């Protein structure tokens, strides 16, 4: 589904990503791990088309999207939930979700309504507060809204940047259950930047560890003790 080969990204003349390669298969959950400042967020933004690639290639759904703009990648089926959530504070919950419909052209209103209903089914708390403005939501509610807004675009690949950051355990559990459900019901791939190793090991099939803009370790979560990764990360 997603194949990244040897990409290099710079800020000015300073390299931020150095020959990074990874892949995400259909229905697979992959975690990107690493300490702050190693390039994890830049990697997601580059995949989404928000940073130019100096070298290497990004292939998604059999299309080379290395130089494609973000809107084209979205129409091919990428959806991105950034760190900090990025919701519209002066729009209601329902309006935030409906704004996402503009990302895709030619989809019927009936299809949009089905996806809206599905988002509310996954996150029933959002339905109860659908008329509340985004800026008045708690952190957990905002994160659920950000994920739901990505899902109503009917993505084939979901990119998530620190979706559990600062959230209480009950909300983390709800998010994990919702992501697991849509992963299998919608048959999508998920690439997640995550600091919580316990969450990553329960949710993800495979992992990549980043250090100074490079992939330094990777494998299947089932084959690796998370304690070894903790030692590697120094956490």
């Amino acid at each position: 589904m997603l194949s990244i080969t040897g990409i290099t990204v710079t800020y000015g003349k300073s390299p931020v990503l150095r020959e990074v390669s990874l892949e995400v298969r259909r229905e697979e959950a992959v975690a990107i791990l690493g300490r702050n400042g190693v390039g994890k967020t830049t990697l997601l933004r580059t995949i989404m088309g928000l940073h130019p690639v100096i070298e290497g290639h990004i292939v998604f759904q059999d299309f080379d999207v290395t130089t494609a703009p973000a809107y084209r990648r979205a129409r091919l089926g990428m959806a991105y939930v950034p760190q900090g959530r990025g919701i519209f504070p002066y729009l209601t919950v329902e309006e935030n979700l409906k704004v996402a419909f503009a990302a895709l052209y030619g989809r019927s209103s009936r299809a949009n309504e089905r996806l809206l209903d599905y988002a509310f089914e996954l996150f029933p708390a959002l339905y109860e507060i659908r008329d509340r403005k985004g800026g008045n939501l708690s952190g957990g509610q905002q994160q659920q809204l950000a994920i739901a807004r990505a899902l109503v675009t009917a993505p084939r690949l979901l990119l998530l940047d620190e979706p559990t950051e600062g959230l209480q355990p009950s909300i983390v559990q709800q998010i994990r259950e919702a992501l697991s459900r849509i992963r299998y019901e919608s048959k999508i791939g998920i690439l997640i930047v995550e600091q919580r190793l316990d969450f990553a090991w329960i949710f993800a099939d495979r992992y990549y560890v980043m250090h100074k803009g490079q992939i330094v370790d990777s494998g299947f979560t089932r084959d690796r003790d998370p304690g070894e990764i903790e030692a590697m990360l120094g956490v």
Side-chain angles (χ1 to χ4, degrees), residues 5-62:
T5 307
I7 63 169
T8 294
V9 174
T10 64
Y11 286 155
K13 295 183 179 180
S14 301
V16 181
L17 301 179
R18 307 165 188 259
E19 299 183 354
V20 171
S21 298
L22 61 79
E23 66 175 348
V24 181
R25 304 180 186 99
R26 190 177 305 277
E27 295 186 53
E28 184 179 44
V30 176
I32 303 174
L33 311 169
R35 303 186 72 173
N36 292 334
V38 299
K40 304 187 302 296
T41 293
T42 298
L43 176 57
L44 290 192
R45 288 176 58 83
T46 300
I47 294 169
M48 195 65 217
L50 302 175
H51 287 304
V53 172
I54 303 302
E55 295 179 357
H57 295 279
I58 301 174
V59 176
F60 177 59
Q61 300 273 65
D62 297 324

Side-chain angles (χ1 to χ4, degrees), residues 125-140:
L126 294 181
Y127 181 78
E128 300 297 325
I129 56 172
R130 62 191 181 280
D131 295 324
R132 189 178 303 175
K133 289 186 177 180
N136 295 331
L137 306 184
S138 68

